[in-house]
Amino acid sequence: MVRGFLLDLDGTVYDGGQPIPGAPEAIVRLKQMGYALRFVTNTTSRDRAALVDKLNGMGVTVTVNDIFAPPYAAARYLRKEQASAMLLLTESARQEFGDVPTGGDRPDTVVVGDMGEQWTFAAFNRAFRALMDGAGLIALGMSRYWRTADGKLSLDTGPFVAALQFASGVEPIVLGKPALPFFEMARLDLGLEPDEIAMVGDDIEGDVGGAQRAGMTGILVRTGKFREADLRGEVRPDMILDSLAELPAAVATGSPPSPPTLGGAE
Amino acid sequence: MVRGFLLDLDGTVYDGGQPIPGAPEAIVRLKQMGYALRFVTNTTSRDRAALVDKLNGMGVTVTVNDIFAPPYAAARYLRKEQASAMLLLTESARQEFGDVPTGGDRPDTVVVGDMGEQWTFAAFNRAFRALMDGAGLIALGMSRYWRTADGKLSLDTGPFVAALQFASGVEPIVLGKPALPFFEMARLDLGLEPDEIAMVGDDIEGDVGGAQRAGMTGILVRTGKFREADLRGEVRPDMILDSLAELPAAVATGSPPSPPTLGGAE
């Protein structure tokens, strides 16, 4: 019995700067139907307030509490552990960590997200030294790269975490899809059991595979980065929809959703 | 029958800015005895001319042809392959690559060495894109870090190569100790067979282990980074000397050198 949804943002609710047709209406409808919702994204370069502004600008009405993203998850984790943190993050992402102490050159933890052009050798080396002095490592996702607005590839968080891990030998805790601790924190944020939650996204591995490994239902949408080849891999979605716009009708006909026919994939 | 020596530099011939006592005289003596010599270093931030200046300043008389270092090895490799190369290297290390074409944004190869403070995200991202477009990857060593003059640790080449490998999936060719292709190129530079060569160094793994895997004799010196614990690992040196100063006397008593007594290590 699905009682709540985790909805991916980029490629599922919007694509670049435009909402997926019918997605804003579907979100309103799901709320009216009584489902608990969280928007779950791996975006590490913005705080939740900036994501709320972006969504509201597209006519998707949300509040900051509707959004579950790695910087917020990491800040919650650090507060719970009462740990200080050196933040390798953009200025926007740092907003989530307001009251978390920095720990100077001897932090309890190093938090690494996507910094893009703001990366410097000095900051990277300082983080490495902190790890060698015993700090833990939190990675806000392990994505290898993303595609910029002009279509070029750009290095994401994962390679920088891999570099720090190679240099220091410290194993990262990954707080981003598809890592289990991240889905587990999102589940606690929803206040539901794994089998009461369905994750909806366009990433067969990061969204569907990650959710399924966390004991949740995984629903794939044919928008964003979806390719037909995704259906020939190891991960088998519990349901496939043309887009998020179809979700209210699909759940109205039966819940949990029944497995789809996958054509020649069987 | 050892006919030539590969001598490590830092920790073996000199320590920081000072020669190891007796090392310059030992080098002169080995040359007089008719041994072929090459100084083999993993230094990737300087060209050979800069290393010659440093050695000559310490009273160790060498020429550029006596030195075998990763930038030189990579430049030779690229000339042989007639390949263009994007160079993530210091200005000094680039000197070795004078006539190697850069290939613009579509090089055949990306060469990565230690850039320290000269590292920028833009150059790193450009290299990543070249790898995604099909370029090969040459790593000038995979060292994790080095200790600066003020005693602090600083990220070396390895972590940056690991990041590019993680991001692109491209496997690097490593041209630095202890990688086999590097020892093989040094061997060809000496013009001898593996069993005619002994490597002398303070790094049990990088110098001794690497040389032994290349079929050479591995001699450990108790200077530089040597620690007694090095003798309790998997690599067993063929000979152990208090310092390079002892080498001429040791080889005069019999060649190839006989295995040492390792105390309780047997």
Side-chain angles (χ1 to χ4, degrees):
Chain A
M1 177 71 183
V2 170
R3 299 173 59 196
F5 289 99
L6 301 177
L7 305 178
D8 172 55
L9 283 175
D10 202 1
T12 303
V13 172
Y14 53 74
D15 212 344
Q18 295 297 322
I20 301 282
E25 296 79 0
I27 291 161
V28 170
R29 182 80 191 104
L30 289 168
K31 283 186 177 175
Q32 289 170 343
M33 290 167 84
Y35 286 102
L37 298 184
R38 288 292 183 283
F39 297 93
V40 180
T41 172
N42 265 5
T43 298
T44 70
S45 57
R46 294 161 175 246
D47 64 344
R48 291 179 301 158
L51 287 167
V52 165
D53 287 347
K54 176 166 181 173
L55 284 161
N56 287 345
M58 293 178 191
V60 182
T61 309
V62 297
T63 72
V64 104
N65 294 326
D66 295 330
I67 296 185
F68 197 83
Y72 167 66
R76 260 184 45 163
Y77 177 91
L78 293 167
R79 286 186 190 107
K80 183 163 159 263
E81 301 281 324
Q82 297 188 291
S84 59
M86 179 186 289
L87 304 176
L88 272 67
L89 297 173
T90 61
E91 195 55 50
S92 175
R94 281 165 195 261
Q95 301 304 319
E96 297 283 2
F97 295 81
D99 58 335
V100 174
T102 65
D105 280 335
R106 297 295 294 264
D108 299 317
T109 321
V110 171
V111 178
V112 182
D114 177 30
M115 295 186 75
E117 297 284 345
Q118 294 173 49
W119 272 110
T120 66
F121 178 81
F124 200 45
N125 208 32
R126 192 165 162 258
F128 160 64
R129 289 173 181 165
L131 293 171
M132 293 298 278
D133 282 339
L137 177 59
I138 291 181
L140 302 189
M142 284 301 281
S143 297
R144 294 157 63 205
Y145 55 85
W146 55 285
R147 199 172 287 276
T148 63
D150 62 358
K152 289 186 175 173
L153 303 183
S154 188
L155 290 162
D156 205 325
T157 307
F160 293 94
V161 176
L164 290 173
Q165 183 175 0
F166 181 90
S168 69
V170 177
E171 194 87 26
I173 297 170
V174 182
L175 294 182
K177 298 180 288 185
L180 201 56
F182 186 63
F183 277 101
E184 176 60 14
M185 289 185 75
R187 179 187 80 73
L188 291 171
D189 207 51
L190 268 179
L192 297 172
E193 293 303 311
D195 60 5
E196 296 176 317
I197 301 172
M199 168 86 213
V200 186
D202 64 326
D203 186 329
I204 183 78
E205 171 51 33
D207 295 323
V208 176
Q212 289 178 340
R213 284 192 294 276
M216 304 173 185
T217 299
I219 301 177
L220 185 69
V221 287
R222 293 174 178 270
T223 51
K225 68 169 70 169
F226 170 80
R227 298 289 176 270
E228 289 297 328
D230 296 342
L231 302 179
R232 295 192 287 271
E234 277 191 14
V235 176
R236 305 290 301 268
D238 296 294
M239 180 182 253
I240 304 174
L241 301 174
D242 280 344
S243 89
L244 182 61
E246 291 186 353
L247 187 60
V251 296
T253 64
S255 181
S258 55
T261 305
L262 288 178
E266 193 63 52
Chain B
M1 178 69 182
V2 169
R3 298 173 59 196
F5 289 99
L6 301 176
L7 305 178
D8 172 56
L9 282 176
D10 202 0
T12 302
V13 171
Y14 53 74
D15 213 344
Q18 295 297 321
I20 301 282
E25 297 80 359
I27 291 161
V28 170
R29 183 80 192 105
L30 290 167
K31 283 186 177 174
Q32 288 170 342
M33 291 167 84
Y35 286 103
L37 298 184
R38 288 292 183 284
F39 298 92
V40 179
T41 172
N42 266 5
T43 299
T44 71
S45 56
R46 296 160 173 246
D47 63 345
R48 291 179 301 157
L51 287 168
V52 165
D53 288 346
K54 176 166 181 171
L55 284 162
N56 287 345
M58 293 178 190
V60 182
T61 309
V62 298
T63 72
V64 103
N65 293 327
D66 296 330
I67 296 185
F68 197 83
Y72 167 66
R76 259 184 46 164
Y77 177 92
L78 293 166
R79 286 186 190 106
K80 182 163 159 264
E81 301 281 324
Q82 297 188 290
S84 59
M86 179 186 290
L87 305 176
L88 271 67
L89 298 172
T90 61
E91 194 55 50
S92 174
R94 282 165 195 261
Q95 301 304 318
E96 298 283 0
F97 295 82
D99 58 336
V100 174
T102 66
D105 280 335
R106 297 295 293 265
D108 299 317
T109 321
V110 171
V111 178
V112 182
D114 176 29
M115 294 187 77
E117 296 285 346
Q118 293 173 49
W119 182 93
T120 66
F121 178 81
F124 200 48
N125 208 31
R126 193 166 161 256
F128 160 65
R129 290 172 182 167
L131 293 171
M132 294 297 278
D133 282 339
L137 177 59
I138 292 182
L140 302 189
M142 283 302 281
S143 296
R144 293 157 63 205
Y145 55 85
W146 56 285
R147 198 172 288 274
T148 63
D150 62 358
K152 290 187 174 171
L153 303 183
S154 188
L155 290 163
D156 205 326
T157 307
F160 293 97
V161 175
L164 290 173
Q165 184 175 359
F166 180 90
S168 68
V170 177
E171 194 87 26
I173 297 170
V174 182
L175 293 182
K177 298 180 288 186
L180 200 57
F182 187 63
F183 278 100
E184 175 60 15
M185 288 185 77
R187 179 187 81 72
L188 291 172
D189 207 51
L190 268 179
L192 296 172
E193 293 304 311
D195 60 5
E196 296 176 318
I197 301 172
M199 167 86 214
V200 185
D202 64 326
D203 186 328
I204 183 77
E205 171 51 33
D207 295 323
V208 177
Q212 289 178 338
R213 283 192 294 277
M216 303 173 185
T217 298
I219 301 176
L220 186 69
V221 287
R222 293 174 178 270
T223 51
K225 70 169 69 168
F226 170 80
R227 298 288 177 272
E228 289 297 328
D230 296 343
L231 303 179
R232 294 192 287 271
E234 277 191 15
V235 176
R236 305 290 300 270
D238 296 294
M239 180 182 254
I240 303 174
L241 301 174
D242 280 344
S243 88
L244 182 61
E246 291 186 351
L247 187 60
V251 295
T253 64
S255 180
S258 55
T261 305
L262 289 179
E266 194 65 51

